[in-house]
Amino acid sequence: MISSRRMAAVDENAEALGVSRKQLMESSGNAVAREVRDLTDQGASVAVVAGRGNNGGDAFVAARFLSDYDVSVHLLGRRETITTAISRENWDALTESDIAAEEVSDSRALDLGEPDVIVDALLGTGVSGAPREPEASAIAAINAADATVVSVDVPSGMDADTGEAPGAVVDADRVVTFHDAKPGLADKTVTVADIGIPEAAELFVGPGDRNVLGRDPQAHKGDFGKVTVIGGGPYTGAPALSAQAALRSGADLAYVACPEPVADAVQGYSEDLIVEPFVGTRLQPTHVEDLLDRTSDRDVVVLGPGLGDADDTLRAVRKFLAGYEGRAVVDADALQVVPDVDTEATLVCTPHQGELAKMGGPRESEWRDRMAAVESFAADLGHTVLVKGAHDIVTDGETTRANRTGNPGMTVGGTGDVLAGATGALLSVTDPVGAGALAAYANGRAGDAAISENGYGLLASDLLTRLPHALYDDD
């Protein structure tokens, strides 16, 4: 099954792969027409009731494929109010044919006649809440008719993800949905139509995955993430890179908890960081209670950048994870303790291949073999794993994504720290697999932009200013 938000992302990813929305609409409309043909004989009466979005566009295409039937198309509104260019194009193509098509300015006067079949294409999967006018009156007219009702993608008025209907809803006899079943359709008679979306649109991270990043204009400071990086000691650049990457990826606040002797150096990388020093030269178990208290009201912890692998530091990592119940990204030397820790935390682990092996994970050279092996490893581990490589693999053991942005110049030190910080910011606003997948995609795009300017002399810090463009700008 696939959620409505995920379906919208897959549609956009398919377009980025060269499969246009116009192609998909043509296939969708054809699938609806096939369903109508299966239900009734040639020449039967078919009334198409269409809204002004792409759902209506699918129905305009279906009407063209049903030209040997007695078809009438009722557009709820004026042509000028159709919201997408491809739907307008298909309306125009329809009106140039011999098919009866009308613009309905008053839904209360909608007259469907006595059709054998009604095609419901008023509201698609992207609409939520109770239908308002003119759709509410049109739904009532559809339900009052003595006809078999075929809904396009989802019965109008129903939430495709939950099956709930907060207001008027079409009582559909059949539903033709596209690419994959929708969770809310479990109790309906459903045909799932293959409309030509390639596997890569769902497997590989693409521009559509960024649809989780919208912001409410009334948002306040902190709504998009308070991230704490626990790191530093042997190294100062790593935690600073991670924290800056969190900010560049959309987090509102970034804290760095680090040993006191390196606090000034970490602060020196950016005035935007909030540095919270602790006593000593490296993380130790005695610091954990205070760190758990500090991070209790933060959204995400990034644990590991620059910590080193001293025995007492690794004991502190174990103790922190055992007591932490929030969301965390675990990176670098901290990764090796994860398999042996019993924790209530939600973890995204970000190893490269060598670190994965230290965790007891698989070594597979071919990326598809590695994907299957890492999926099994993540299921056993009980956490999300993002394995970095030429093809990044992100999986929680059930949902698996791959990313192919990035380049060999990103073998330079620090790019993994940037990825960890970006993952932390995105984990504040979306699910673990989605956060890891989108962070890998953005990190790779930032690296691709950096190499186009700097060649193989790119630095990890070059990625920082490019992350916002990778996440928020169109390709």
Side-chain angles (χ1 to χ4, degrees):
M1 288 191 178
I2 190 168
S3 70
S4 55
R5 182 187 284 275
R6 182 77 191 119
M7 188 67 230
V10 170
D11 275 346
E12 188 173 344
N13 289 348
E15 186 169 39
L17 292 169
V19 182
S20 72
R21 292 176 188 260
K22 189 170 184 178
Q23 288 175 265
L24 296 179
M25 185 171 285
E26 196 75 8
S27 297
S28 299
N30 196 2
V32 174
R34 287 198 304 270
E35 189 75 12
V36 173
R37 290 181 181 278
D38 288 344
L39 289 172
T40 190
D41 295 331
Q42 184 174 329
S45 173
V46 180
V48 175
V49 187
R52 299 175 298 278
N54 280 340
N55 200 244
D58 296 335
F60 303 152
V61 173
R64 285 195 285 104
F65 281 109
L66 294 169
S67 59
D68 52 344
Y69 284 68
D70 179 15
V71 178
S72 60
V73 181
H74 309 268
L75 169 63
L76 215 61
R78 301 185 312 279
R79 184 263 183 204
E80 292 75 17
T81 64
I82 296 175
T83 58
T84 67
I86 53 174
S87 291
R88 283 194 298 275
E89 289 175 13
N90 278 302
W91 171 259
D92 292 342
L94 190 66
T95 57
E96 291 297 321
S97 69
D98 291 330
I99 296 173
E102 67 164 349
E103 300 176 20
V104 180
S105 58
D106 184 353
S107 61
R108 294 169 298 181
L110 176 62
D111 183 5
L112 300 177
E114 297 181 359
D116 298 299
V117 176
I118 295 174
V119 175
D120 156 41
L122 286 168
L123 300 170
T125 57
V127 179
S128 59
R132 296 176 291 183
E133 295 296 350
E135 287 80 15
S137 291
I139 289 171
I142 292 171
N143 289 340
D146 184 17
T148 300
V149 178
V150 177
S151 286
V152 177
D153 217 8
V154 63
S156 294
M158 176 184 285
D159 187 307
D161 294 329
T162 66
E164 296 176 354
V169 61
V170 167
D171 183 14
D173 298 291
R174 300 286 185 94
V175 180
V176 181
T177 198
F178 309 122
H179 181 64
D180 200 353
K182 311 306 185 294
L185 299 177
D187 296 330
K188 294 293 182 181
T189 302
V190 179
T191 297
V192 177
D194 181 351
I195 58 172
I197 292 175
E199 177 200 13
E202 194 160 2
L203 174 62
F204 290 109
V205 196
D209 292 86
R210 300 178 298 183
N211 68 10
V212 299
L213 299 177
R215 294 201 172 197
D216 186 336
Q218 305 301 317
H220 300 283
K221 182 189 294 185
D223 287 355
F224 300 100
K226 294 180 286 185
V227 177
T228 297
V229 178
I230 300 176
Y235 308 97
T236 61
L241 282 169
S242 290
Q244 290 175 91
L247 291 173
R248 290 293 188 177
S249 300
D252 289 339
L253 295 168
Y255 303 79
V256 180
C258 62
E260 206 168 48
V262 301
D264 286 345
V266 171
Q267 184 71 78
Y269 286 103
S270 174
E271 65 274 21
D272 298 295
L273 306 181
I274 303 170
V275 178
E276 299 179 326
F278 49 80
V279 175
T281 59
R282 61 178 180 267
L283 179 67
Q284 298 188 24
T286 54
H287 300 128
V288 170
E289 185 176 348
D290 179 55
L291 289 172
L292 288 170
D293 183 59
R294 290 189 199 184
T295 56
S296 61
D297 64 344
R298 313 278 168 81
D299 296 292
V300 173
V301 167
V302 179
L303 179 62
L307 279 179
D309 61 354
D311 289 344
D312 51 359
T313 295
L314 296 182
R315 286 198 300 272
V317 170
R318 290 189 186 93
K319 185 176 179 181
F320 181 87
L321 290 175
Y324 185 64
E325 297 182 354
R327 292 184 164 205
V329 178
V330 184
D331 189 43
D333 289 312
L335 287 162
Q336 60 193 286
V337 311
V338 171
D340 301 322
V341 172
D342 184 10
T343 178
E344 296 299 315
T346 298
L347 303 185
V348 178
C349 301
T350 57
H352 55 58
Q353 192 62 53
E355 291 164 338
L356 180 67
K358 280 189 177 181
M359 296 175 71
R363 285 184 176 273
E364 302 288 346
S365 57
E366 203 280 321
W367 75 270
R368 283 192 178 270
D369 293 338
R370 184 164 66 251
M371 181 171 66
V374 172
E375 184 175 77
S376 178
F377 175 72
D380 291 340
L381 188 66
H383 300 295
T384 298
V385 178
L386 192 176
V387 181
K388 295 171 282 194
H391 284 81
D392 305 307
I393 306 299
V394 188
T395 181
D396 61 1
E398 294 183 0
T399 301
T400 301
R401 307 294 307 285
N403 174 64
R404 52 188 176 185
T405 62
N407 59 77
M410 295 177 68
T411 57
V412 67
T415 57
D417 301 308
V418 172
L419 175 63
T423 305
L426 295 166
L427 189 58
S428 300
V429 296
T430 192
D431 64 278
V433 172
L438 191 51
Y441 172 77
N443 199 51
R445 284 194 71 202
D448 290 340
I451 202 170
S452 68
E453 296 180 24
N454 302 322
Y456 288 134
L458 69 84
L459 303 176
S461 56
D462 293 334
L463 276 58
L464 295 175
T465 57
R466 293 168 173 84
L467 276 174
H469 303 290
L471 283 168
Y472 299 101
D473 290 354
D474 291 335
D475 289 320

